[in-house]
Amino acid sequence: MHTSTTMRHWMHHFHDGSVKAARYTGHLLHEKSFWGIVVILTLIAGVLTLMALFGSGAVLQNYSMPYGLYY
């Protein structure tokens, strides 16, 4: 099989796959359930971050950034 035929064949499959992925992504971005899941995950991550930063016995409470290379 020639190289040009092989490349044409694989580029055809790549194009078809990318069109399917773009169509699926477009449908996904228009569904309310997808955005609901994104909101719930964001809220969970925010609560966990607030707990780590400001909670009782916080992990990051005594953390400080060094101001230079010398200690």
Side-chain angles (χ1 to χ4, degrees):
M1 185 177 277
H2 295 287
T3 305
S4 61
T5 305
T6 304
M7 286 300 294
R8 194 175 334 140
H9 175 76
W10 285 108
M11 287 306 293
H12 175 70
H13 283 293
F14 178 75
H15 178 263
D16 287 348
S18 59
V19 168
K20 287 179 186 176
R23 188 174 296 135
Y24 179 73
T25 303
H27 289 299
L28 191 63
L29 293 176
H30 284 92
E31 291 187 16
K32 290 181 182 179
S33 60
F34 170 75
W35 290 111
I37 291 170
V38 169
V39 166
I40 289 170
L41 291 176
T42 303
L43 288 174
I44 290 171
V47 167
L48 291 176
T49 302
L50 288 174
M51 286 171 48
L53 290 175
F54 301 113
S56 176
V59 177
L60 300 177
Q61 189 172 6
N62 297 323
Y63 179 76
S64 63
M65 292 292 291
Y67 291 105
L69 297 174
Y70 306 105
Y71 295 101

